[in-house]
Amino acid sequence: MSDHHTYKKVEIVGSSKNSIEDAINNALAEASKSLQLLEWFEVTETRGHIVNGKVGHYQVTLKVGFRLSDS
């Protein structure tokens, strides 16, 4: 095991009909299916889709950081 870590960040977008929190959780759940060693996230954008004057979908853009496997 090394004495340092190296990370990579990718940008993903999640959505939900229910809440911003659900949109974040949906995005992280999907990302964890193909990315290993996820360590953190930051929300960089929040937006929504309007249907008949109400929120139809919440949408969040996340930067997700994960540790490279050999670091």
Side-chain angles (χ1 to χ4, degrees):
M1 177 140 255
S2 70
D3 60 353
H4 71 280
H5 297 297
T6 303
Y7 300 90
K8 180 167 179 75
K9 287 197 299 187
V10 296
E11 191 171 76
I12 61 175
V13 179
S15 65
S16 170
K17 290 183 178 183
N18 300 317
S19 69
I20 291 169
E21 185 175 327
D22 279 352
I24 292 168
N25 286 324
N26 292 343
L28 294 175
E30 287 299 316
S32 70
K33 292 177 182 177
S34 59
L35 298 173
Q36 298 177 6
L37 305 173
L38 291 173
E39 300 245 345
W40 77 86
F41 73 92
E42 59 182 287
V43 176
T44 59
E45 293 181 333
T46 305
R47 62 187 162 272
H49 176 234
I50 301 168
V51 177
N52 297 323
K54 296 182 180 179
V55 176
H57 283 89
Y58 297 91
Q59 192 175 61
V60 294
T61 302
L62 307 172
K63 287 186 181 177
V64 180
F66 60 94
R67 187 167 40 89
L68 298 178
S69 62
D70 291 332
S71 73

